[in-house]
Amino acid sequence: MTDSHDLADGATAAPRDPDMPEDALGLGLSEIPETAAEPKSALASDGAYRVLARKYRPQTFSELIGQDAMVQTLGNAIKRDRLAHAFLMTGVRGVGKTSTARLIAKALNCIGEDGQGGPTISPCGKCEPCEAIAEGRHIDVIEMDAASNTGVDDVREIIEAVRYAAVSARYKIYIIDEVHMLTKNAFNALLKTLEEPPAHVKFLFATTEVNKVPITVLSRCQRFDLKRITVELLTEHFAQIADKEGIKAETEALTLVAQAAEGSVRDGLSILDQAIAHADLDGDGTVTAQQVRDMLGLADRGAVRRLFGLLLAGDAQAVIAEARAQYRLGVEPLAMIGGLLSEVHHLTLSKIGSPSDAALDEATRQQIDEYADKLSFPALHRLWQLLLKGHEEVARAAIPLAASDMALLRVVHGASMPDPGELAKLLQNSGGALSQPPSGPATAAGNSEQALAETPAPPSSQSPQFPADFPSLIEALGQQNYVSLESTLRDVMRLVEYAPPRLVYQLSGPVSPHFLNDLREALFKMSGVKWDLEEKTDADAAPSLLEVEQAEADANKKAIMESPLVKAAFAAFPDAELLDSNEIEDKRSATA
C-alpha cells in the first residue's frame, strides 16, 4: 500500500518547500499567507506551472473557508482531550474532505517548533511531523485510495499494521479517501478494528457518497458534513487569490466563476485558472464578466432564449428551424430542452420577486422581467410540465432529435390550452357548449404570446378603461373575484397617488409575500396594460378605507355619547354599554 499522492506529478519526488505543498487540491483559504504562495507566479521550484487548485491548498484550519462549525468542534475536542478514534468527512467534491483529513493528521501529531507541544487545532507547520505530513512523506500517516484498493486483502494490510506502534509520530493515522468504494466484505473485515483500535491509531475517512457507507461503519465514526461554500465567500476568496497572483479581475467576473463552481472551491479555482488564461489571450490580462460568460458558454443562453421566444409566439415552423440550427451547431436535443426548462425556472423566480441571477447581463434580465410580466403562473406551470415531459421522452428516445421536435410542437400547441378554471368559465359563459375555434395558421392552437399568457388585451383601436377612483378600483377587484386583494387594499393600503396606470401607496399593516405580484397581475388582466406600482413610506398618504370607516364610527359613537338622553341613561345605569349591531350579534353568539 503506497501513498498515491507522493509522485502524482512526475517520476521523481524533488524536495519541496513545506509552505508550498506539491499535492495541493482545491480548498480555499480565508486569508492567504505570504508563505503559502508566490505573489505573482504560479511556477514550482522546478519551473513547472502549478495550477491554483494545488498552489493554494490550506495548511492550517484557519485557512479553511466555510467550515467553521467543524473547526470549532475539532478544536474543542482537542482542548478537552476527547478525540474520537475515527472521523468521517463527507460532502460534495472540492469542499475539503481530504484536506481536512490531512490537517487533522497535522493537528494530532504536531510537536511545536520547540518539540514539546501536544495536539493542537493550530499546528505550527514548522516541526518535522508537520513538514513531513504536508509533503506526503510521513511514515506514520498512510493514505489509501479506496477506489484502487477495494478488497479484503487491502484492508487486511491495515488490520495487520495497526498492531504496531507508530514509528516516530504520536498517532499512526490512516486516511482512506472515497471510502464508499470498499466492497461489502472489506467493510465487514474492518469493523472490529474500527470499533476497538489501539490507542495510537486514528482512522480518517472521506467520501462524496455517504449513503453508500454501511450504517455499521457510520455508527463507529464521528461524522462531519462539509458544506458547500457560498457564492459570496467564494467570490471574496477568489478576489484574494487574484490579488496574490497580480491578476486584475472584475467583481462580476469572479461572481460568475463562483456561481459556476457550485459550492466547490477546487472547481472554482480550476475555472479561475481557465479564465485567467482566456483573459491573457485578449492582451490586457483583465478577467472580465463578458469573457467569463463566453468561456463558460453562458452566451449560448441567448440561443435558448431565442427559441423560447418563438415558442411563445407560436410559430411552429420557426421553432423547428431554430431547433435544427442549434443541433447543427452541436447542441444536443436533451441539452436544448434542459435550457428551456432553465428559462421557465428563471421566469418563475422573477415573477415571485426573487433576486436576479448575477450570471445574466442587464439586457437579458430586462427581457426575463418582460416575459414574467406577460406570463401568468398557470401558463408558466403548464410550460414547465410540458417541457419536463419532453425532457423525459428525449432522454430515453431512440431518435432524440425527432423526440425533441415532437416535444417542442406539443409545447406550441398545448401550452395555450385553458386551465380547468378558465375552461369552467368558458363553459359557464357559453351555456355549457363551446364553439369550434376557427382553423388556420394564425389560430390553429391559439398559439400567440397573448394566448399563452392567458391575459386578454384590449383592442388596439380602444383606449384602456380604468376605474374612476381608488374606491372604484377596490370594488372592481371584488367584482372580478379577487377577494383577498380587495380586502388587503381596503384594510391596509393608504393612497398617495392614483393616476392609472400608476398607483403610489403606503401600507399600514402586513401583507402576503406575493401581494405585489398578485396585484400587478390582477390589474394587468383587468385593464390589459402593465401598472406602475410604487410604495412610498415618506410621502403624505390618505387613510385606508378601513381607517376612514373606523374614524367615522368613532365620531358617530362620540356624538351619541354626548347626547343628553344617553348621558342621563348612563347616569341611571352606570354599568351599561353602548354597542353597535355587530357587537350585539357577537355577544349573542357568545352566550348562545
Side-chain angles (χ1 to χ4, degrees), residues 517-571:
N517 283 324
D518 293 342
L519 178 59
R520 183 179 286 112
E521 183 175 346
L523 294 178
F524 183 79
K525 286 189 175 183
M526 287 172 52
S527 62
V529 297
K530 181 180 177 181
W531 282 58
D532 179 17
L533 305 179
E534 181 182 1
E535 180 180 6
K536 280 191 175 181
T537 58
D538 56 350
D540 295 331
S544 68
L545 296 189
L546 179 61
E547 291 172 330
V548 171
E549 292 174 4
Q550 291 174 340
E552 292 177 351
D554 292 342
N556 292 335
K557 187 173 184 178
K558 183 178 180 180
I560 293 173
M561 295 294 293
E562 295 296 329
S563 169
L565 181 60
V566 175
K567 285 185 177 180
F570 274 101

Side-chain angles (χ1 to χ4, degrees), residues 97-113:
K97 299 180 295 297
T98 305
S99 292
T100 299
R102 293 175 183 174
L103 290 178
I104 293 175
K106 273 189 183 181
L108 298 184
N109 285 324
C110 178
I111 59 175
E113 294 188 56

